[in-house]
């Protein structure tokens, strides 16, 4: 039809699909061949695939991100963030080149691009850069010529041309940013699990794969410890309403579709009926910090404490401020910095190590009474004490001793009927 869209669309408009493959999906020749089949499968359906890859393998494998980081650490105590980004970006670039060769072997015309070449422009926050703009003209030109472009995940470039990275796990963010900018029909996140699960299957053997889930729920789950997808990726896709499918590279099962709540097939969220909880998540290795500041001094104490913590780059959570006592949790690995900052503010904190944060997440809990009562019942039954809590309209989180983590997650999963076909939730 001589249309401007080139390949991939009958009427000329390209129907773009972003297919992102995690490190384990591209770690061996056999797995890369499977990836090539998935990419050509999409092309055969008339879609224009844009492939995003993570660095190959896991820590210990030669070109995995953790390996590159420990390479630098093993030689010098410090690597500046700018150079660390330059180094870390190589893992994904290597992966993109190898993947292009694999696709060519499978008869596809393919081309590799760094994140910057694909048009991802970021600010200067090395190691945690934020995307400020997408300049996808160059990428689009090559897509229109019928090429499969393989983009190195996890990275962008600044306006001045420096290479940046998007924070650990940032290849998902790359996929979502491309999906949103290119108006993709779908973003597929291929991984080594079956999809978004109701709990971590290492703790809960009968955890179930959710068939459909809302963006807001998955974003909360990711923030509250679920590892399956980067929360920023969900938020970016949500902002443009591009659906995400999380699925396994190694099976043909459909995985989990992430869409807006209205389309999530959950009429009970508006009626208040149906199960309030969708999943149980957890974050291990956190520490409770409690600072007694004595008499109320009009807010001066918390001002100093939280300001010094912020300057030390310590992120706080489960915050509870009342006159005389300020308490919160920090990652256990950041406890030394937190102690130093509080010391600087003139206080001696009391801390409790070996804690974990367990959370129940579900958009069905909005305004529904009895969710907390069930959380308390489950944890009581499991013999796990609650040290502190926090909540939002779709989450309830409890701080518990680390020793009770597995029992707590299992009990909550059971209490809210999340396992198997017989649970109240039918997707
Ligand atoms: N390779 C990067 C990391 O390990 C990015 C990613 O895999 O998403 O954090
Ligand atoms: Mg990941």
């Amino acid at each position: 039809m001589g249309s401007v869209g080139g390949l991939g669309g009958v009427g000329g408009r390209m129907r773009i699909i972003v297919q992102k493959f995690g490190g384990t999906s591209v770690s061996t020749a056999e797995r890369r061949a499977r990836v090539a089949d998935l990419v050509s499968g999409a092309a055969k359906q008339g879609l224009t695939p844009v492939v995003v890859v993570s660095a190959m393998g896991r820590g210990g494998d030669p070109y995995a991100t953790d390996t590159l980081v420990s390479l630098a650490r093993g030689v010098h105590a410090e690597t500046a963030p700018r150079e660390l980004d330059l180094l870390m970006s190589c893992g994904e670039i290597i992966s993109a080149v190898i993947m292009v060769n694999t696709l060519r072997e499978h008869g596809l015309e393919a081309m590799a691009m760094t994140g910057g070449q694909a048009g991802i422009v970021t600010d200067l926050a090395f190691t945690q850069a934020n995307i400020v703009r997408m300049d996808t003209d160059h990428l689009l030109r090559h897509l229109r010529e019928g090429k499969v472009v393989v983009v190195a995940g996890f990275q962008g470039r600044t306006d001045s041309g420096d290479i940046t990275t998007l924070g650990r796990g940032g290849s998902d963010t790359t996929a979502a940013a491309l999906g949103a900018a290119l108006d993709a029909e779908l973003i597929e996140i291929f991984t080594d699990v079956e999809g978004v699960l109701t709990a971590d299957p290492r703790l809960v053997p009968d955890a179930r794969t959710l068939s459909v889930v809302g963006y807001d729920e998955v974003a909360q789950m990711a923030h509250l410890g679920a590892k399956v997808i980067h929360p920023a990726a969900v938020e970016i896709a949500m902002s443009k309403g591009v659906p995400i499918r999380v699925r396994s590279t190694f099976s043909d099962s459909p995985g989990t579709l992430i869409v807006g709540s209205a389309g999530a097939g959950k009429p009970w969220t508006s009626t208040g009926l149906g199960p309030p909880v969708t999943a149980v998540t957890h974050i291990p290795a956190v520490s409770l910090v409690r600072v007694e500041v004595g008499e109320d001094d009009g807010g001066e104490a918390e001002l100093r404490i939280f300001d010094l913590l912020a300057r030390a780059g310590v992120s706080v959570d489960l915050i509870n401020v009342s006159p005389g006592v300020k308490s919160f949790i920090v990652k256990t690995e950041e406890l030394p910095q937190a102690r130093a900052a509080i010391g600087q503010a003139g206080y001696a904190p009391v801390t409790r190590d070996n804690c974990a944060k367990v959370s129940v997440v579900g958009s069905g809990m909005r305004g529904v009474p009895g969710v907390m009562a069930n959380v308390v019942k489950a944890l009581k039954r499991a013999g796990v004490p609650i040290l502190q809590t926090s909540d939002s309209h779709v989450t309830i989180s409890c701080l518990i001793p680390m020793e009770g983590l597995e029992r707590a997650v299992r009990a909550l999963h059971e209490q809210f009927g999340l396992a198997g076909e017989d649970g109240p939730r039918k997707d």
Side-chain angles (χ1 to χ4, degrees):
M1 287 270 307
S3 61
V4 283
L7 282 190
V10 189
R13 204 181 125 68
M14 286 188 289
R15 296 174 50 209
I16 292 175
I17 181 168
V18 177
Q19 298 183 297
K20 181 256 168 179
F21 297 92
T24 47
S25 303
V26 292
S27 60
T28 65
E30 199 188 349
R31 290 172 174 189
R32 290 190 291 272
R34 165 78 181 154
V35 169
D37 284 342
L38 289 162
V39 174
S40 38
K44 278 184 196 131
Q45 281 176 48
L47 297 164
T48 300
V50 174
V51 178
V52 175
V53 286
S54 288
M56 295 189 285
R58 294 214 165 105
D61 292 330
Y63 311 111
T65 311
D66 285 322
T67 310
L68 299 174
V69 173
S70 37
L71 165 71
R73 291 223 171 106
V75 184
H76 299 101
E78 292 264 330
T79 304
R82 180 181 174 281
E83 280 67 36
L84 192 60
D85 272 2
L86 201 50
L87 175 66
M88 287 195 294
S89 69
C90 297
E92 270 71 10
I93 296 175
I94 292 167
S95 188
V97 170
I98 299 293
M99 200 61 230
V100 158
N101 288 344
T102 309
L103 294 176
R104 285 183 184 150
E105 257 171 22
H106 282 72
L108 290 162
E109 225 189 300
M111 178 181 188
M113 287 189 191
T114 67
Q117 288 170 337
I120 299 175
V121 183
T122 74
D123 61 12
L124 276 157
F126 291 107
T127 77
Q128 284 290 345
N130 303 290
I131 298 173
V132 293
R133 204 172 64 246
M134 298 291 290
D135 288 338
T136 50
D137 290 358
H138 178 58
L139 171 60
L140 274 169
R141 241 186 336 270
H142 289 285
L143 295 178
R144 287 202 183 96
E145 285 168 7
K147 287 186 193 126
V148 176
V149 177
V150 181
V151 181
F154 174 53
Q155 55 182 268
R157 70 165 163 82
T158 65
D159 268 316
S160 47
D162 281 321
I163 292 186
T164 50
T165 65
L166 307 176
R168 297 304 306 270
S171 295
D172 293 344
T173 315
T174 303
L178 288 169
L182 299 170
D183 211 1
E185 278 189 15
L186 179 67
I187 299 162
E188 285 185 308
I189 304 285
F190 286 94
T191 178
D192 51 4
V193 294
E194 290 294 323
V196 179
L197 302 192
T198 50
D200 184 338
R202 284 168 303 181
L203 301 191
V204 185
D206 58 359
R208 186 168 51 96
T209 306
L210 293 158
S211 57
V212 186
V213 66
Y215 291 116
D216 51 347
E217 287 174 311
V218 175
Q220 290 296 340
M221 287 168 65
H223 282 298
L224 294 171
K227 288 275 162 35
V228 66
I229 186 168
H230 196 295
V234 181
E235 281 151 14
I236 293 169
M238 174 163 72
S239 72
K240 282 291 206 75
V242 183
I244 303 176
R245 187 177 285 287
V246 179
R247 50 181 287 206
S248 165
T249 307
F250 312 113
S251 82
D252 288 319
S253 52
T256 303
L257 186 65
I258 307 172
V259 286
S261 293
K266 292 186 289 181
W268 55 73
T269 55
S270 52
T271 59
L273 301 171
V277 169
T278 302
V280 183
T281 62
H282 68 277
I283 299 177
V286 296
S287 297
L288 177 60
V289 180
R290 196 180 138 86
V291 192
E292 292 198 17
V293 299
E295 238 159 75
D296 186 23
D297 56 3
E300 278 303 315
E302 59 241 36
L303 203 63
R304 271 206 311 285
I305 292 169
F306 290 112
D307 186 47
L308 286 161
L309 283 165
R311 282 197 229 169
V314 176
S315 157
V316 295
D317 189 20
L318 269 179
I319 306 151
N320 198 329
V321 171
S322 52
V325 187
K326 326 291 160 194
S327 70
F328 48 85
I329 62 171
V330 298
K331 282 191 204 135
T332 300
E333 65 189 45
E334 292 184 355
L335 191 57
Q337 293 95 297
R339 265 185 206 288
I342 296 161
Q344 236 181 313
Y347 300 102
V350 179
T351 63
R352 177 169 180 157
D353 280 351
N354 292 319
C355 295
K357 180 178 167 182
V358 290
S359 306
V360 293
V361 179
S363 54
M365 76 172 70
R366 275 193 190 97
V368 175
V371 181
M372 184 60 180
N374 277 295
V375 168
V376 172
K377 254 184 231 163
L379 294 183
K380 179 111 196 9
R381 185 159 48 81
V384 177
I386 300 174
L387 307 175
Q388 192 153 322
T389 66
S390 74
D391 60 275
S392 75
H393 53 303
V394 294
T395 64
I396 295 177
S397 299
C398 301
L399 186 70
I400 58 164
M402 185 72 181
E403 158 285 305
L405 177 62
E406 184 166 325
R407 293 196 315 278
V409 174
R410 283 189 186 176
L412 290 166
H413 197 261
E414 197 184 312
Q415 186 76 27
F416 290 100
L418 299 180
E421 292 306 323
D422 299 322
R425 172 118 193 211
K426 292 236 161 60
D427 287 320

